[in-house]
């Protein structure tokens, strides 16, 4: 049986007491919201002050349509909004696709294509039509499709501005009998409302999300984006989400020219997680084997298929029991690994795996490692470097700046070859 990991999910996040400033500006509407985000461990509290820009005369007649959206603008539950109304609003409030580690709507400007928005949020035209009929009479702030189409763009500020009220609104839906709906309608509405609550409770509590990754040079390999499916996190299955190290290492790989002496096929990735690093190797045309624990591999396979990749295989490999893996006995010219140490056993296991699977050929072996510099895992990192130095020579090292869902972070890249 696999030894239990000494793992506390909260210990994984480096507390950051620094205040980041996010400036949300919607020029076409002249609405400005200044969001100060204070991040501490996995709990994010967001405080917002918002104001309308008084200097914009042309915007006055649009004032009624203007936001920031307030919780009181949403359909009031005591008016018994019908199913299409609540489904439409709850879907519009869902977070946008994530681009790298940011909601993509932070990077959009307004002027949205209405139809595209409703399609992206999976709102059917019949639901929209029925919702508008009711909203026209009972919810003046959202009584036109143009106004509704702005909701996704404004939802980030709404959640930041009125976090408690937002959660309370959703909780009221979840706890209401919704006696005016059928059982199936009630179930759908309540499940959407509970997803909206969980999205507001930090990354670790979020439901499934789709992440779009853009990296410089991807176009060179015929892609605009890499797509990553991330199921909701369960237990300590950290490989179900993408971590900042893989973005930096993936981006480094794409900068390297194919055929580089330190990036030769076949490539083995250890602890692939959602697969970003291994996928970059595949895109560069290298035969690549992506590996992880049994509970992570199904989603890894989903992601490989999602991106229509070739040249890859995907296998279970538990570092604590490599003998049962289909890759056992094979050897690789390059081993890549990103963010692999967060328990005292990990450094031993990772170095054992590198030693086991890396080619012995002196001119044909290379290990690329990227780790985040989380202060709470300093000892594990030092142990990793110490164990690596017993068998391998460090030939390159760099500290680099990066970020992930939890904020900015420094990362360390190192490349090693076998000792002669
Ligand atoms: C922090 S995640 C990093 C995932 C991915 N490399 C990334 O950077 O996004 C650590 C990864 O190591 C994997 N891992 C942890 N313990 C493992 C073990 N005993 N055997 C194989 N993989 C393991 C996890 O399943 C997870 O995918």
């Amino acid at each position: 049986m696999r030894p239990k990991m000494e793992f506390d999910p909260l210990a994984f996040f480096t507390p950051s007491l620094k205040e980041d400033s996010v400036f949300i500006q919607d020029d076409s509407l002249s609405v400005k919201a200044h969001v100060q985000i204070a991040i501490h461990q996995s709990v994010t509290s967001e405080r917002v002050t918002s104001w309308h820009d008084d200097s914009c005369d042309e915007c006055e007649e649009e004032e009624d349509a203007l936001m920031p959206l307030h919780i009181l603008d949403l359909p009031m539950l005591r008016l018994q909004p019908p199913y299409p109304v609540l489904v439409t609003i709850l879907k519009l409030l869902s977070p946008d696709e994530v681009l790298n580690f940011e909601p993509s709507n932070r990077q959009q400007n307004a002027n949205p294509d209405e139809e595209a928005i409703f399609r992206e949020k999976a709102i059917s035209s019949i639901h929209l039509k029925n919702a508008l009929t009711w909203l026209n009479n009972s919810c003046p702030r959202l009584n036109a499709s143009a106004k509704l189409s702005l909701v996704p763009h404004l939802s980030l500020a709404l959640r930041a501005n009125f976090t408690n009220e937002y959660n309370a609104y959703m909780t009221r839906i979840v706890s209401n009998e919704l006696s005016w709906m059928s059982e199936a309608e009630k179930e759908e509405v309540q499940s959407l409302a509970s997803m909206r609550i969980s999205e507001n409770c930090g990354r670790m509590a979020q439901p499934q999300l789709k992440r779009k990754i853009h990296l410089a040079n991807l176009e060179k390999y015929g892609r605009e984006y890499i797509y990553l499916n991330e199921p909701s996190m369960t237990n300590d299955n950290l490989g179900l989400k993408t971590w900042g190290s893989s973005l930096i290492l993936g981006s480094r790989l794409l900068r390297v020219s194919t055929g580089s002496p330190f990036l030769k096929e076949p490539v083995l990735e250890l602890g692939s997680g959602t697969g970003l690093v291994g996928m970059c190797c595949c895109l560069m045309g290298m035969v690549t084997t992506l590996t992880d624990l049994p509970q992570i591999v199904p989603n890894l396979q989903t992601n490989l298929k999602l991106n229509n990749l070739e040249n890859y295989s995907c296998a279970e490999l538990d570092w604590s029991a490599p003998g049962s893996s289909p890759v056992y006995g094979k050897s690789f010219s390059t081993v890549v690994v990103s963010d692999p140490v967060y328990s005292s056993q990990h450094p031993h296991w990772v170095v054992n795996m590198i030693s086991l699977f890396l080619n012995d050929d002196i001119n044909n072996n290379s290990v690329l490692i990227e780790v985040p510099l989380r202060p709470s895992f300093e000892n594990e990192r030092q142990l990793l470097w110490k164990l690596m130095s017993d068998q391998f020579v460090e030939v390159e090292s760099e500290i680099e700046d990066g970020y992930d869902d939890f904020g900015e972070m420094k990362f360390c890249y190192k490349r090693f070859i076998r000792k002669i």
Side-chain angles (χ1 to χ4, degrees):
M1 210 173 63
R2 199 161 62 87
K4 184 144 177 41
M5 242 185 264
E6 319 154 12
F7 177 71
D8 168 5
L10 287 182
F12 205 60
F13 306 120
T14 307
S16 159
L17 294 172
K18 147 174 123 10
E19 290 213 332
D20 287 343
S21 284
V22 180
F23 191 65
I24 300 174
Q25 177 166 3
D26 182 333
D27 287 332
S28 67
L29 298 175
S30 285
V31 174
K32 293 176 181 173
H34 185 235
V35 184
Q36 290 196 307
I37 304 175
I39 302 164
H40 185 251
Q41 296 223 346
S42 64
V43 180
T44 304
S45 71
E46 300 184 335
R47 302 190 304 278
V48 176
T49 50
S50 60
W51 64 93
H52 289 183
D53 184 345
D54 297 332
S55 64
C56 175
D57 297 336
E58 312 93 73
C59 300
E60 271 173 21
E61 65 189 39
E62 289 179 44
E63 196 83 7
D64 185 47
L66 290 189
M67 315 291 174
L69 198 57
H70 190 283
I71 289 296
L72 295 175
D73 297 329
L74 300 180
M76 280 190 271
L77 214 50
R78 67 180 167 77
L79 299 181
Q80 304 198 337
Y83 162 76
V85 173
L86 286 180
V87 162
T88 301
I89 298 293
L90 290 169
K91 286 184 174 178
L92 287 172
L93 288 170
S94 66
D96 275 9
E97 229 175 12
V98 175
L99 177 59
N100 291 357
F101 291 102
E102 296 257 22
S104 55
N105 69 359
R106 272 195 200 171
Q107 288 136 42
Q108 278 169 12
N109 51 22
N111 238 350
D113 168 354
E114 278 180 36
E115 271 182 30
I117 287 174
F118 296 129
R119 201 172 42 245
E120 192 184 304
K121 298 288 179 188
I123 295 166
S124 70
S125 45
I126 184 78
H127 279 172
L128 183 62
K129 185 166 164 269
N130 292 342
L132 282 168
T133 308
W134 186 90
L135 291 166
N136 245 320
N137 295 323
S138 311
C139 190
R141 290 297 297 272
L142 296 171
N143 63 357
S145 64
K147 293 180 185 177
L148 279 179
S149 71
L150 291 173
V151 171
H153 189 69
L154 298 162
S155 64
L156 185 71
L158 174 75
R159 284 157 54 190
N161 222 347
F162 305 108
T163 307
N164 294 342
E165 293 86 345
Y166 181 93
N167 288 339
Y169 181 82
M170 299 301 165
T171 308
R172 279 198 297 280
I173 296 178
V174 171
S175 57
N176 195 291
E177 275 302 313
L178 304 181
S179 53
W180 60 97
M181 290 182 202
S182 72
E183 269 308 304
E185 290 173 344
K186 174 178 159 178
E187 198 178 315
E188 185 181 348
V189 165
Q190 293 190 327
S191 110
L192 286 170
S194 29
M195 276 201 268
R196 298 302 83 89
I197 297 172
S198 60
E199 287 145 10
N200 237 10
C201 298
R203 173 64 189 97
M204 299 302 274
Q206 275 178 17
Q208 169 156 318
L209 70 79
K210 285 248 181 313
R211 198 185 293 276
K212 226 165 50 169
I213 299 286
H214 180 75
L215 297 171
N217 289 338
L218 259 186
E219 287 81 3
K220 201 166 120 190
Y221 298 102
R223 303 294 166 110
E224 194 178 354
Y225 298 109
I226 292 176
Y227 296 92
L228 301 173
N229 180 57
E230 298 187 10
S232 102
M233 301 277 284
T234 46
N235 305 321
D236 59 0
N237 291 332
L238 299 187
L240 298 179
K241 92 162 231 69
T242 307
W243 298 84
S245 302
S246 64
L247 191 79
I248 301 202
L249 184 54
S251 153
R252 175 183 289 273
L253 294 176
L254 294 179
R255 286 199 304 269
V256 168
S257 54
T258 32
S260 157
F262 63 87
L263 194 54
K264 287 194 180 164
E265 60 182 358
V267 177
L268 171 69
E269 183 180 17
L270 297 171
S272 300
T274 56
L276 180 56
V277 172
M279 283 190 210
C280 289
C281 299
C282 294
L283 282 177
M284 295 170 75
M286 282 178 288
V287 171
T288 305
T289 302
L290 296 92
T291 64
D292 211 304
L293 292 167
Q295 58 273 33
I296 306 300
V297 164
N299 184 57
L300 184 55
Q301 271 164 334
T302 302
N303 284 338
L304 287 156
K305 288 199 189 108
L306 194 64
N307 290 280
N308 292 318
L309 290 165
E310 292 168 0
N311 313 328
Y312 73 85
S313 56
C314 179
E316 293 176 6
L317 169 60
D318 181 342
W319 308 331
S320 67
S324 55
S325 168
V327 291
Y328 189 72
K330 297 190 177 160
S331 74
F332 297 85
S333 302
T334 308
V335 174
V336 290
V337 53
S338 105
D339 202 352
V341 292
Y342 45 94
S343 91
S344 58
Q345 293 118 313
H346 282 143
H348 296 278
W349 288 343
V350 169
V351 177
N352 286 345
M353 290 308 98
I354 296 171
S355 179
L356 184 64
F357 288 107
L358 188 67
N359 208 330
D360 277 337
D361 178 350
I362 194 66
N363 296 314
N364 199 16
N365 74 79
S366 184
V367 185
L368 314 179
I369 305 182
E370 187 87 44
V371 291
L373 298 183
R374 297 186 189 101
S376 40
F377 291 98
E378 174 67 23
N379 292 343
E380 288 76 5
R381 237 174 3 258
Q382 289 317 319
L383 180 58
L384 175 70
W385 303 142
K386 155 86 186 60
L387 295 171
M388 283 300 288
S389 70
D390 292 342
Q391 299 183 56
F392 302 91
V393 184
E394 182 184 310
V395 284
E396 207 181 340
S397 177
E398 189 179 335
I399 304 291
E400 31 198 0
D401 291 315
Y403 60 96
D404 64 15
D405 287 324
F406 308 100
E408 287 174 12
M409 171 79 65
K410 291 219 176 286
F411 294 83
C412 176
Y413 161 77
K414 284 187 193 285
R415 179 163 68 87
F416 297 86
I417 54 173
R418 273 196 191 279
K419 269 188 182 168
I420 303 176

